[in-house]
Amino acid sequence: MPEQLPSDHPSVQTFRANIARSGGTRRPCLRVPDDVTAADGDFVRLHLGGTAYHARLSADASGLVIRGAYDNKRLARTPNDGENRLVEWCREHDRADGDAVELDELDDGYQYGLRVPGVRQVYRITERPNDSLSSIAEQFGPSDE
């Protein structure tokens, strides 16, 4: 996989998604389209404005959502401990409940990019961690990856 990947590259699949509100929070979250290969509890890398963050998918009555993007995996597990970069991105790009966004699938099930519709983005791709090493590390406790 190339180190940098533009959103208009043929290997990138783009999904139309929406910013939403989920649960009792007033903060924006990302409504993940049904076509995205992911499940409740999965951790993914979410690129926002050129930086990759850690995010956890969770399910609500309407499907999967990403409630936040954080600087490391530990913060994504315990979201009250860190800055929610998804909220910042929504504020900076004037995105609110019901607004459309484009979710680029960079590495199926692992790495996604979020952008304003019609705006080209170049993503700096991170290598997928070795599954066996990740599972060993999980046995010893949470990591900050």
Side-chain angles (χ1 to χ4, degrees):
M1 183 175 288
E3 270 186 35
Q4 292 190 352
L5 190 63
S7 56
D8 56 1
H9 191 274
S11 68
V12 174
Q13 183 172 4
T14 300
F15 299 96
R16 181 57 63 117
N18 290 301
I19 299 300
R21 302 230 187 270
S22 177
T25 180
R26 300 298 309 152
R27 291 174 294 169
C29 63
L30 174 64
R31 174 76 46 206
V32 178
D34 293 338
D35 295 338
V36 171
T37 306
D40 184 22
D42 285 354
F43 286 91
V44 297
R45 298 300 296 269
L46 183 65
H47 293 254
L48 302 171
T51 303
Y53 297 102
H54 295 261
R56 183 175 184 203
L57 286 98
S58 58
D60 68 6
S62 300
L64 291 175
V65 293
I66 293 177
R67 288 188 166 82
Y70 300 90
D71 293 340
N72 59 53
K73 197 171 184 179
R74 180 186 60 80
L75 293 173
R77 280 189 189 98
T78 55
N80 293 333
D81 291 346
E83 290 295 318
N84 185 337
R85 306 302 182 182
L86 178 59
V87 170
E88 292 175 6
W89 184 91
C90 287
R91 191 176 313 120
E92 289 170 9
H93 292 89
D94 198 26
R95 301 280 105 180
D97 187 20
D99 287 340
V101 292
E102 292 189 339
L103 183 66
D104 294 324
E105 186 176 71
L106 309 173
D107 184 352
D108 183 24
Y110 174 65
Q111 202 158 187
Y112 298 88
L114 189 63
R115 60 189 172 88
V116 174
V119 175
R120 183 178 187 265
Q121 178 73 45
V122 177
Y123 302 106
R124 186 167 274 142
I125 302 303
T126 57
E127 192 171 317
R128 186 184 284 250
N130 181 309
D131 285 338
S132 61
L133 292 178
S134 293
S135 64
I136 292 168
E138 292 283 328
Q139 292 175 9
F140 291 102
S143 73
D144 285 349
E145 263 187 56

